[in-house]
Amino acid sequence: QVQLVESGGGLVQAGGSLRLSCAASGRSFGSLAMGWFRQAPGKEREFVAAISWSGGNTDYADSVKGRFTISRDNAKNTVYLQMNSLKPEDTAVYYCAAAILGSWPPKWYNHWGQGTQVTVSS
């Protein structure tokens, strides 16, 4: 079992920054590829970013490339999403997810957090 808890969301003005955190427990964090997803009201969940279990590979949605950075600290069992130059269209509930298979890129995420709200005002 893997438990994921997101934190760091909030209200920010356009152009501002937030850093989201996702704390993992329940199994070896270093064996998990991790991803961030988001879902706006009335819209489908969309991929944001992913990082391999070793941290050696990352992937980003085109909409956030150059603005968001995913990272991980395996010693702290935590993955981060640094969000800069935020836009109103970034407003969504952000979820972290874990893929237990050690392949890249992950195509299926097995565990999900509860989500944290990010609201960007214009």
Side-chain angles (χ1 to χ4, degrees), residues 14-111:
S17 299
L18 285 173
R19 188 179 74 161
L20 306 183
S21 299
C22 175
S25 62
R27 67 169 294 157
S28 177
F29 181 74
S31 68
L32 303 172
M34 302 294 296
W36 285 97
F37 294 76
R38 66 187 183 186
Q39 187 167 22
K43 296 185 177 181
E44 295 181 348
R45 182 179 59 198
E46 65 176 347
F47 169 78
V48 175
I51 187 166
S52 62
W53 65 268
S54 67
N57 292 290
T58 58
D59 191 27
Y60 297 92
D62 288 342
S63 59
V64 307
K65 198 170 299 181
R67 299 188 297 121
F68 291 10
T69 302
I70 188 170
S71 62
R72 67 191 298 160
D73 186 340
N74 288 351
K76 297 181 178 179
N77 291 346
T78 302
V79 64
Y80 305 95
L81 185 68
Q82 178 67 46
M83 306 185 296
N84 298 327
S85 302
L86 283 162
K87 305 174 181 179
E89 51 262 44
D90 295 319
T91 295
V93 177
Y94 283 70
Y95 300 90
C96 75
I100 63 173
L101 296 180
S103 61
W104 184 261
K107 292 183 170 58
W108 182 259
Y109 291 86
N110 306 92
H111 302 280

